[in-house]
Amino acid sequence: CCYKNLEDLGLELSFPETNSSLILVRKVPMCFMEREANELRRKRQPITRSIVEEFIQEQIELVQTTGGRAQGTLPLTFLKVLASQACHGAIKFNEHLTLEETCRLIEALSSCKLPFQCAHGRPSMLPLADIDHLQQEKQPKPNLTRLRKMVRAWQLFGK
């Protein structure tokens, strides 16, 4: 009942008549193959089969719970694969950027809904200091208690 939906997402299946429990996978979404390539480059085990199995199981459960009526959202399996790809391709701590690259990055982050965390929810940036007060004539004393609390919160959040 969801064959067309799966095909629209890039998963092409066939069901041989000789074996009712067998599913042949003829085509998988490109993001699954890109994830597989990343894993193999890192000398890890192939994962496409497990991702496809998880995806098919997710779709079966969706059909069972909704009668095949729930469609239109990106499946959780896709979201996990895409989140993983986003993190693996991200700029890492201590990686050097030019001023131009930094400006482009800040501009891109300013258009994000959640610029302070990665796709998995991990912190992606940390405020170092509030410098807005530097342009004022009378400079207030720093609130060290507040800064300590902020640092402690970031430390706890990072763990």
Side-chain angles (χ1 to χ4, degrees), residues 27-126:
K27 183 179 170 188
V28 297
M30 182 59 80
C31 64
F32 291 8
M33 295 307 298
E34 290 171 356
R35 173 78 193 278
E36 174 89 356
N38 285 334
E39 294 298 314
L40 294 176
R41 259 195 306 280
R42 290 179 172 81
K43 303 208 183 328
R44 297 180 184 160
Q45 294 297 313
I47 57 163
T48 300
R49 181 182 177 139
S50 62
I51 293 174
V52 170
E53 287 173 352
E54 180 183 343
F55 179 53
I56 291 171
Q57 186 62 43
E58 178 186 359
Q59 294 305 303
I60 289 170
E61 290 171 9
L62 185 66
V63 168
Q64 289 173 340
T65 57
T66 66
R69 290 182 295 276
Q71 293 179 1
T73 59
L74 195 59
L76 181 60
T77 308
F78 273 79
L79 292 174
K80 289 194 302 190
V81 168
L82 294 172
S84 176
Q85 282 182 299
C87 283
H88 285 129
I91 298 164
K92 304 295 190 265
F93 182 76
N94 218 15
E95 192 171 320
H96 295 281
L97 299 175
T98 66
L99 179 59
E100 184 180 322
E101 290 170 326
T102 305
C103 290
R104 279 197 315 260
L105 176 62
I106 291 170
E107 186 178 321
L109 284 170
S110 70
S111 67
C112 293
K113 290 182 182 176
L114 299 170
F116 295 102
Q117 66 185 38
C118 76
H120 293 100
R122 297 181 193 115
S124 60
M125 65 174 86
L126 175 69

Side-chain angles (χ1 to χ4, degrees), residues 129-144 146-147:
D130 178 9
I131 59 171
D132 289 338
H133 69 278
L134 294 178
Q135 294 181 5
Q136 299 172 357
E137 280 188 35
K138 182 181 175 189
Q139 296 183 7
K141 293 181 182 178
N143 185 340
L144 295 179
R146 183 171 163 246
L147 286 173

